[in-house]
Amino acid sequence: MSKPIRPVMEFYEASDIGAGVAVWYGSQALDGTAFQWRAAPVGSIYVYRPAPTSAAIYGKTANTGATADWVQLDAAASAADYPATQLAYGACHLRNWNAELTHIRRENVGHQAVLALFGDSWMNIGNRFADLFTTWLQTEYGDAGPGWVSMWEGGKGEPPNVTRTRTGTWTDRDKNSTPKGRGPDLSECYSDDVVTPAKVTITATCETVIIHYLEQVGGGDFRWQVDAGGWTTVSTDAAEAYATTSITGLSAASHAVEIEILDAGTAGVILFGADVQESANGVRVHRFGQNGGKASDYTALDATQWQTALTALAPTVVAILLGTNEDSGDVAPATFRTNMEEMATRVRTAIPLCDILYISPGPNDLTPGTYGMADYVAALRASAVANDYAMFDSLLLLGDYDSANSRDLYQDSSHVNATGGSAIVRQVIQTLLYLP
């Protein structure tokens, strides 16, 4: 007995859309045989693929032949999902962040939400973004510690409630030096000063401090102590690799952690920074920004070393704010998008569940080039929709530069001031990062 015929669920058009072109649909036996074609009746709800193998499915309610009438039905992630008048997109893609905040709200023990901020000078200057994120989120959800403290003097200050001092001779390296900085914030700090000796002191309320450094052939030794206690020595002599060492078991109080160069070896000692933590439920914010930074600077880092750093830092969500220096350098928006997606891919490779959040820069008054900031924002929007990332559009929030500057939201021709940063941060939190 033959099996009944069932609809295939889509129609196919034999050629390009146009007036008078017949639209056809198919049906198929349940056993996978006897494919049949029939002309769709006038007045039907039409659905078609440009070809049977096409991934796109289109539909309309009448066969008028007008191309504009066709709507892509399977475009769950298309530009239309993030209209130009919408500030924020993709809160549903911040699943990791939402889960951790839910645990924190429910007071489930052992949960922390870690926000890692990567960017340029918009992100590097603490009172523009990072300090505001830290203060607001920790006030709302609890304090899980200050987070990243860079050893680099170009870091433009420490997180709130942290002091860092350096003595002795140090050489700071960044994205423009030779060799370049290899840390997560594009920097590193070198010393072979065993005479003074070179020393870094970090004072903060903490229970754990994780020191990040470079292992290298011929690397020297450094040692650390807490509150003038006993010393622990760490050798950096090994094949080149990103490495960490942990100081744990501290009481929940203010501590002074000293890191001192003990032996220069033949290659000196290279330190990146320290992750300063508390164990309580709450939020921790890492700030990784460098003046003049572009997405290509981050993708130029050794992928394995950068991913090792990310794994140690364990972010719940990585937020990336770049684009101003691409604008000033007239980088093609397509290239900018490729580099941003490479950063995001490296994050997801290291931490598969980590959320990705793009934050676009606002407007600027730089000399116009081939492209404008709107072109870079459009590239970010397309990337966010295509890859299921979240995004916030600061350009849409602030409007044109002259207007934003007249509202006293700008420090100079390319940077918001603390008030402008606060306007953006508050909206990012309200629209994407807040869980009541």
Side-chain angles (χ1 to χ4, degrees):
M1 181 175 179
S2 63
K3 296 182 179 181
I5 300 296
R6 65 177 174 87
V8 161
M9 301 303 293
E10 68 258 8
F11 300 90
Y12 297 112
E13 189 172 48
S15 60
D16 292 341
I17 304 168
V21 175
V23 178
W24 301 84
Y25 72 93
S27 60
Q28 186 174 23
L30 293 179
D31 62 2
T33 62
F35 197 86
Q36 302 178 23
W37 291 99
R38 295 184 175 89
V42 175
S44 297
I45 296 176
Y46 294 94
V47 183
Y48 89 101
R49 293 178 188 263
T53 57
S54 171
I57 303 172
Y58 296 84
K60 65 178 178 178
T61 58
N63 186 22
T64 65
T67 302
D69 291 342
W70 292 93
V71 177
Q72 187 170 348
L73 302 180
D74 64 333
S78 69
D81 293 308
Y82 190 5
T85 55
Q86 182 176 318
L87 282 176
Y89 169 80
C92 61
H93 300 314
L94 298 175
R95 298 181 179 95
N96 210 27
W97 179 261
N98 183 71
E100 288 304 321
L101 290 191
T102 301
H103 282 295
I104 291 169
R105 285 297 200 202
R106 290 178 56 84
E107 300 182 0
N108 297 335
V109 176
H111 287 275
Q112 298 180 336
V114 181
L115 171 62
L117 305 170
F118 287 89
D120 49 29
S121 53
W122 277 60
M123 201 67 84
N124 186 34
I125 308 300
N127 65 1
R128 288 183 187 144
F129 281 93
D131 293 353
L132 302 172
F133 275 116
T134 298
T135 300
W136 199 96
L137 291 171
Q138 290 187 344
T139 298
E140 185 70 16
Y141 300 110
D143 185 352
W148 183 256
V149 179
S150 182
M151 302 297 181
W152 175 55
E153 281 296 315
K156 302 297 183 184
E158 288 67 58
N161 305 314
V162 175
T163 60
R164 177 189 57 76
T165 59
R166 294 195 326 192
T167 56
T169 302
W170 295 91
T171 300
D172 288 318
R173 296 168 178 166
D174 59 21
K175 65 182 181 60
N176 297 316
S177 62
T178 304
K180 296 180 182 294
R182 286 162 281 191
D185 58 358
L186 306 174
S187 76
E188 65 185 40
C189 192
Y190 165 89
S191 184
D192 59 4
D193 179 6
V194 297
V195 176
T196 310
K199 180 187 295 185
V200 177
T201 302
I202 298 171
T203 303
T205 298
C206 56
E207 295 167 77
T208 297
V209 177
I210 303 174
I211 302 169
H212 292 232
Y213 63 95
L214 184 73
E215 290 182 333
Q216 57 181 331
V217 175
D221 298 341
F222 67 87
R223 62 181 185 173
W224 58 262
Q225 67 173 3
V226 180
D227 300 331
W231 289 99
T232 298
T233 299
V234 178
S235 173
T236 71
D237 183 12
E240 183 172 320
Y242 196 101
T244 62
T245 187
S246 297
I247 305 170
T248 61
L250 305 179
S251 62
S254 179
H255 298 283
V257 178
E258 295 180 281
I259 306 166
E260 182 178 279
I261 304 303
L262 181 64
D263 182 348
T266 59
V269 172
I270 293 175
L271 302 178
F272 299 124
D275 181 2
V276 183
Q277 305 179 359
E278 295 185 53
S279 63
N281 279 14
V283 172
R284 183 163 54 253
V285 178
H286 299 307
R287 181 183 70 200
F288 305 110
Q290 190 168 130
N291 296 353
K294 297 189 290 291
S296 58
D297 294 315
Y298 288 95
T299 59
L301 292 170
D302 180 272
T304 299
Q305 291 186 15
W306 196 63
Q307 289 168 318
T308 300
L310 286 170
T311 300
L313 294 159
T316 308
V317 56
V318 164
I320 310 172
L321 193 163
L322 291 163
T324 298
N325 296 300
E326 279 83 0
D327 186 15
S328 67
D330 215 25
V331 175
T335 301
F336 172 56
R337 174 178 173 174
T338 297
N339 290 329
M340 291 288 284
E341 290 179 348
E342 176 61 21
M343 287 183 69
T345 297
R346 292 184 184 185
V347 171
R348 286 280 177 83
T349 300
I351 310 171
L353 292 181
C354 187
D355 300 325
I356 305 296
L357 167 60
Y358 291 156
I359 304 175
S360 83
N364 60 60
D365 196 33
L366 300 172
T367 302
T370 305
Y371 312 102
M373 183 52 68
D375 297 312
Y376 298 100
V377 174
L380 289 177
R381 281 174 166 264
S383 177
V385 171
N387 294 286
D388 292 341
Y389 304 151
M391 181 178 159
F392 184 85
D393 188 344
S394 304
L395 181 63
L396 179 60
L397 176 68
L398 300 182
D400 65 272
Y401 172 79
D402 288 339
S403 297
N405 189 46
S406 69
R407 297 183 178 109
D408 197 22
L409 299 177
Y410 266 69
Q411 174 181 319
D412 53 37
S413 63
S414 58
H415 300 97
V416 289
N417 56 25
T419 303
S422 180
I424 294 170
V425 169
R426 288 171 184 272
Q427 287 284 353
V428 172
I429 291 173
Q430 183 66 33
T431 57
L432 293 170
L433 299 180
Y434 180 69
L435 181 72

